[in-house]
Amino acid sequence: MFQNSITRLFQIELPIIQAGMIWASGWRLASAVSEAGGLGIIGSGSMYPEVLKDHIQKCKAATSKPFAVNVPMLYPNLQEHIRTIIEEKVPIVFTSAGNPKTLTAQLKSHGIVVVHVVSSARFAVKAQEAGCDAVVAEGFEAGGHNGREETATMVLIPSVMKAVDIPVIAAGGIATGRQMLAAMVLGAKGVQIGSRFVASAEASCHLSFKQAVINSQEGDTKLMLKQLTPVRLLKNQFFSEVEQAEESGASKEELTTLLGRGRAKRGMFEGDMEAGELEIGQVSALLDDIIPAATITHNIWKEFNEAMINPLGE
Ligand code: NDP
């Protein structure tokens, strides 16, 4: 049986972590990945507190294996989510988009394992100083919110490895076993995978979004809205409006007005493929099927092991 610092930390079988993603990773996806031996994560950023509670309870009913909740710290009712997580005895929390000092001590005082998502070595050091048990180093290729510095995974992983002693989980541009092996050769102890799990049967996002993801080609995503919170978007009508506004020097206020409220829900959850905000990683260009999360997990693990036997493929 495979074991390393990440499988031991989370008490899981495979160092494959499904990313917490707004509108896509509810209890169905998280429990399916955990049942398959990886770590499933409920993405709480798009859930009202009572919705999160319901997802946690359903996840616990669907699997007895460990799972986690991702808490983006931009969330308006942050402490309500934290209260629910503590009450429901969620074993692991991934925090993101904020200062790791804000929540780590509180969560750890309840015996919760805390992992923070970072996009630079500087933030990784902050996470270690805050007492986090591990970091996710998420490179430029990743979907959704992303670092302003645009450091790609290939450079980010060794930089973060040099800067901290806690285990590093690689994210951004990883969807296959060979990509996983490459990240682990660089020193990562596990991988966090988002886009591949968006194109899964269990993801809660709209089928039209899943289809747009598997139909996308190389070059179809771009990091936008750097004046607000940088986010990697799939190209559509809304993307073009943002691009035009940015090229014509729109102010922060004008971009905020253009974004409006609930754009992400409209696109990814309600399936408005033109006016909605569609968040996905560069690696979507490599995906061409919508399959069960357990199959995704097993396929990645199988390819990882095959690649280890013959890494250069000669
Ligand atoms: P908006 O302000 O445009 O809209 C808020 C959305 O979140 C609405 O669709 C709303 O649902 C839903 N929501 C859930 N809980 C609350 C709450 N307590 N108060 C208000 N709205 C709530 O935000 P975004 O859609 O751009 O982002 C929503 C969240 O997702 C943020 O917390 C953000 O940090 C996070 N996020 C995380 C990403 C990641 O990569 N991890 C990527 C992008 C966003 P309804 O329409 O039903 O009212």
Side-chain angles (χ1 to χ4, degrees):
M1 195 177 71
F2 181 90
Q3 275 205 336
N4 70 4
S5 50
I6 280 297
T7 60
R8 281 191 291 273
L9 179 65
F10 300 146
Q11 297 184 26
I12 56 176
E13 292 148 48
L14 313 174
I16 297 173
I17 296 140
Q18 161 254 309
M21 299 170 287
I22 57 163
W23 303 115
S25 61
W27 71 272
R28 277 200 182 83
L29 178 57
S31 60
V33 175
S34 288
E35 272 296 288
L39 183 73
I41 305 188
I42 296 174
S44 73
S46 49
M47 296 176 178
Y48 283 94
E50 62 278 13
V51 176
L52 175 61
K53 195 183 188 87
D54 184 50
H55 276 259
I56 293 171
Q57 289 175 348
K58 286 183 170 142
C59 198
K60 285 199 282 198
T63 182
S64 57
K65 297 189 178 176
F67 67 94
V69 172
N70 169 232
V71 184
M73 282 190 239
L74 301 166
Y75 186 78
N77 306 95
L78 194 56
Q79 277 303 328
E80 279 184 69
H81 268 4
I82 298 304
R83 230 185 350 266
T84 305
I85 284 165
I86 292 168
E87 273 168 20
E88 292 294 327
K89 300 193 187 325
V90 172
I92 306 158
V93 169
F94 281 48
T95 54
S96 56
N99 187 338
K101 281 201 185 119
T102 316
L103 296 173
T104 305
Q106 184 188 5
L107 291 166
K108 287 192 69 85
S109 72
H110 290 272
I112 296 171
V113 171
V114 182
V115 181
H116 192 64
V117 183
V118 300
S119 55
S120 69
R122 194 163 58 87
F123 284 122
V125 171
K126 280 192 181 177
Q128 178 167 275
E129 284 169 0
C132 292
D133 297 288
V135 284
V136 174
E138 190 179 79
F140 173 67
E141 300 92 324
H145 288 327
N146 210 313
R148 282 195 169 74
E149 299 83 359
E150 304 195 352
T151 310
T153 305
M154 188 72 110
V155 171
L156 182 65
I157 303 309
S159 305
V160 172
M161 289 297 303
K162 258 205 280 191
V164 297
D165 303 317
I166 52 178
V168 175
I169 298 162
I174 303 168
T176 69
R178 280 192 170 266
Q179 289 170 322
M180 176 178 175
L181 180 59
M184 290 179 69
V185 168
L186 292 177
K189 295 289 180 273
V191 289
Q192 179 179 278
I193 294 176
S195 303
R196 177 59 278 194
F197 285 111
V198 164
S200 72
E202 294 87 348
S204 55
C205 49
H206 200 280
L207 182 59
S208 302
F209 177 50
K210 296 182 193 181
Q211 278 161 346
V213 166
I214 62 171
N215 290 336
S216 68
Q217 306 293 319
E218 197 198 306
D220 281 351
T221 72
K222 201 171 166 193
L223 193 66
M224 305 301 283
L225 293 168
K226 286 178 83 175
Q227 279 193 74
L228 306 178
T229 311
V231 64
R232 180 173 295 284
L233 298 179
L234 187 61
K235 292 181 180 173
N236 66 353
Q237 181 198 311
F238 170 64
F239 170 94
S240 303
E241 286 168 22
V242 172
E243 192 173 48
Q244 273 169 24
E246 291 189 328
E247 278 170 6
S248 63
S251 66
K252 251 177 146 173
E253 292 68 32
E254 284 166 334
L255 290 172
T256 306
T257 306
L258 173 61
L259 184 59
R261 186 181 179 280
R263 275 277 182 186
K265 181 184 186 184
R266 190 162 165 191
M268 297 186 282
F269 196 65
E270 293 171 350
D272 185 337
M273 287 301 100
E274 287 311 323
E277 178 180 336
L278 307 176
E279 300 176 10
I280 203 73
Q282 283 185 342
V283 80
S284 64
L286 301 182
L287 308 177
D288 52 19
D289 51 9
I290 300 166
I291 50 179
T295 310
I296 293 173
T297 310
H298 295 146
N299 287 352
I300 292 170
W301 188 241
K302 185 167 172 277
E303 190 184 293
F304 171 83
N305 282 287
E306 284 166 2
M308 265 212 287
I309 296 165
N310 183 16
L312 303 183
E314 292 288 333

